[in-house]
Amino acid sequence: MTTSTLQRHLAAPFLSLLRRAALAGVGAAACALAPAAHADDNQYSLWQQTKDHAARIWDQGDSAIYLSGVAHHGRSTYTPQKLDELNEHAWGLGYGKTLRNDSGNDESLYGFVIKDSHRHPQYMAGYAYEWVFPIARTGLELGLGGTAMLMSRQDYFHSVPFPVPLPLASIGTQKAKLMFAYVPRLSSNKNNGDVLLIFGRIEM
């Protein structure tokens, strides 16, 4: 399958969600932080700057394919009975754009669908930033950062997309990375959170 064909099949359904995920956070900040006397001008300026920045990533970034395969649930967080019920083969496919910015760090826009822990489709689209650290002279690099996304799951909010920030890490070359996103445990209750999603990103 050619790159152009892949873009048509994978990129188009996610474009609207990508824009909302990448822009929603800064748009909200603009509303909260802009001085009252110049609220309209400042809100527009921040919103326009964010849209322009997202457009730059999309226009100048390298196309990237995302491949998912593992969702590891913490063994001390989930009961053996619950682990037997859960799916850890989080097969999935995604498409995005990644730009190595002027500071030498990676900024990405992406859309991604995987099989969730209950074997239903989980849709994700958003923005990621990683600080990149070369590993000596090996040609490898370590990435540390985070992602802000919109996620849609059948078991949350009747599939209505909701915002999710997650820490992000990676190791590999600039063009091919093994990546890790972590869903923390947010309470002392068993059977929630503490999930490590392992996936790959290949730039073309």
Side-chain angles (χ1 to χ4, degrees):
M1 182 180 290
T2 66
T3 299
S4 60
T5 302
L6 198 56
Q7 288 178 350
R8 286 197 301 271
H9 284 282
L10 293 175
F14 293 114
L15 284 176
S16 176
L17 194 56
L18 278 172
R19 292 191 184 102
R20 283 186 291 166
L23 304 179
V26 176
C31 293
L33 298 177
H38 304 285
D40 292 340
D41 290 342
N42 286 345
Q43 288 172 25
Y44 176 79
S45 177
L46 282 172
W47 185 254
Q48 189 61 49
Q49 288 176 28
T50 305
K51 291 195 296 183
D52 290 345
H53 189 69
R56 177 171 175 261
I57 296 171
W58 196 259
D59 293 339
Q60 299 180 19
D62 291 331
S63 295
I65 299 299
Y66 291 79
L67 301 170
S68 174
V70 177
H72 179 79
H73 299 76
R75 282 357 191 206
S76 62
T77 299
Y78 293 83
T79 64
Q81 294 80 8
K82 190 65 175 180
L83 287 170
D84 288 341
E85 299 174 7
L86 295 175
N87 169 54
E88 293 197 313
H89 301 293
W91 304 120
L93 183 65
Y95 173 82
K97 292 290 188 77
T98 295
L99 177 68
R100 182 62 56 94
N101 64 25
D102 295 339
S103 300
N105 301 317
D106 283 350
E107 298 185 69
S108 302
L109 295 174
Y110 61 88
F112 210 169
V113 58
I114 67 172
K115 184 184 292 187
D116 72 12
S117 300
H118 306 289
R119 300 172 178 82
H120 299 304
Q122 173 177 308
Y123 300 95
M124 300 172 287
Y127 168 81
Y129 192 101
E130 282 192 288
W131 286 269
V132 175
F133 305 94
I135 302 176
R137 300 178 182 177
T138 62
L140 298 175
E141 53 190 39
L142 177 69
L144 295 172
T147 181
M149 70 176 81
L150 288 178
M151 180 186 294
S152 173
R153 289 174 57 114
Q154 290 187 12
D155 53 347
Y156 287 94
F157 310 114
H158 304 288
S159 297
V160 174
F162 57 96
V164 179
L166 295 176
L168 193 65
S170 67
I171 187 168
T173 67
Q174 181 176 350
K175 294 297 185 181
K177 294 181 182 293
L178 186 63
M179 306 193 72
F180 309 87
Y182 180 66
V183 181
R185 183 176 178 178
L186 301 178
S187 76
S188 59
N189 296 330
K190 286 280 191 179
N191 301 325
N192 73 93
D194 194 14
V195 180
L196 181 67
L197 178 64
I198 304 172
F199 58 100
R201 187 182 76 204
I202 302 171
E203 295 181 33
M204 296 176 290

